Amino acid sequence: MWRATVLTLYPQMFPGPLSESLSGEGLARGLWRLDTHDIRAHGLGRHRAVDDTPAGGGAGMVLRADVLAAAIDAAAPADDPRPRLLMSPRGRPLDQARVRALAAGPGVIIVCGRFEGVDERVIEGRGLEEVSIGDYVLSGGEIAAMVVMDACVRLLPGVMGKEASGEEESFEDGLLEYPHYTRPREWEGRTIPEVLLSGNHAAIARWRREEAERLTRIRRPDLWQRRKP
Ligand code: SAH
């Protein structure tokens, strides 16, 4: 079973939104599993301290390497085959190809940073791979970890109703998705493109392809450039 283990200072945030809808039904049906580990359980002293002031000075606090390493070792033994991710704005930006790869594997171990981040030595010492969910700064890694898990879990076998519905989506072929329409046929004077009502499946497929290409060119020239023809 695909298993996610999350190390966090806020375990009560989980499963949070992942308990609803596709991911929540998947959890309830045992299609994946989520364990949380409280980093503070490995904190030092009476106050269970997990952070300290940055070497070299400056604002904020840094998660201690010794505390975080103890938490990682307790949550995941050295021979655990799952990739160890550290949510971090410095990481490689998450994309659908990486999500597919993670979903196809045994699961993930995810470390959620807080404060200014974590001591650099634990990243090297425990082989953490930094993963970003975009070029902006969150206050902690928890919501980012939920993003990773949500994106992976919906691809697990049996989680999505129709197996096919993952295939044609945005990014799967380097394109954004074509527009969708449903009933009513006319709404506030707006109609549905004729071709979609034509029953001509080849023409529909062609229209969708052209729309996907048009939208990608206009909205995401970066994706369009990188596309393999
Ligand atoms: N001082 C850091 C930001 C720390 S934000 C810097 O400038 O790079 C606190 C924590 O939130 C981080 O340790 C990380 O776990 C999480 N986080 C913030 N932004 C993120 C992003 N874009 N992607 C993934 N995790 C993020």
Side-chain angles (χ1 to χ4, degrees):
M1 189 200 319
W2 197 87
R3 190 157 73 94
T5 298
V6 177
L7 288 89
T8 170
L9 287 168
Y10 299 95
Q12 66 277 16
M13 286 175 76
F14 296 88
L18 298 176
S19 68
E20 300 287 342
S21 191
L22 284 183
S23 53
E25 286 153 27
L27 257 188
R29 286 162 54 211
L31 299 174
W32 68 293
R33 187 173 146 178
L34 170 59
D35 301 310
T36 52
H37 277 260
D38 190 353
I39 296 168
R40 195 167 298 280
H42 302 272
L44 306 173
R46 206 159 57 82
H47 297 291
R48 299 236 159 260
V50 295
D51 56 336
D52 214 323
T53 53
M61 300 293 271
V62 176
L63 262 168
R64 291 176 58 118
D66 50 358
V67 171
L68 192 50
I72 293 170
D73 295 342
D79 63 353
D80 193 314
R82 295 174 294 167
R84 299 161 173 232
L85 313 182
L86 169 67
M87 302 321 301
S88 160
R90 297 192 322 196
R92 182 150 79 90
L94 187 68
D95 61 18
Q96 191 65 12
R98 180 77 176 123
V99 166
R100 281 241 171 242
L102 289 173
V108 285
I109 298 161
I110 307 182
V111 177
C112 303
R114 277 275 159 181
F115 322 122
E116 289 309 315
V118 311
D119 188 305
E120 190 72 19
R121 293 169 295 179
V122 76
I123 302 177
E124 299 159 11
R126 288 299 178 273
L128 303 182
E129 176 193 344
E130 293 178 74
V131 174
S132 168
I133 64 158
D135 292 341
Y136 41 80
V137 180
L138 305 168
S139 52
E142 287 76 11
I143 293 174
M146 290 175 194
V147 167
V148 173
M149 291 187 284
D150 183 272
C152 289
V153 160
R154 59 193 289 284
L155 298 178
L156 299 177
V159 170
M160 252 190 297
K162 225 159 112 210
E163 289 294 341
S165 52
E167 303 285 303
E168 273 193 31
E169 285 180 321
S170 289
F171 311 117
E172 289 297 347
D173 53 3
L175 294 175
L176 303 178
E177 201 179 49
Y178 51 80
H180 297 292
Y181 299 87
T182 184
R183 280 181 268 274
R185 202 170 163 140
E186 188 177 329
W187 174 75
E188 294 191 351
R190 295 166 195 269
T191 55
I192 294 174
E194 269 312 314
V195 62
L196 297 179
L197 307 169
S198 69
N200 180 340
H201 296 296
I204 291 170
R206 201 177 325 115
W207 181 87
R208 286 180 167 166
R209 181 82 194 173
E210 284 164 8
E211 283 295 297
E213 292 182 358
R214 185 179 66 80
L215 289 171
T216 308
R217 264 197 315 270
I218 295 170
R219 296 187 185 179
R220 293 294 303 274
D222 57 317
L223 283 183
W224 184 251
Q225 289 294 321
R226 264 189 283 141
R227 249 178 97 243
K228 305 177 205 85

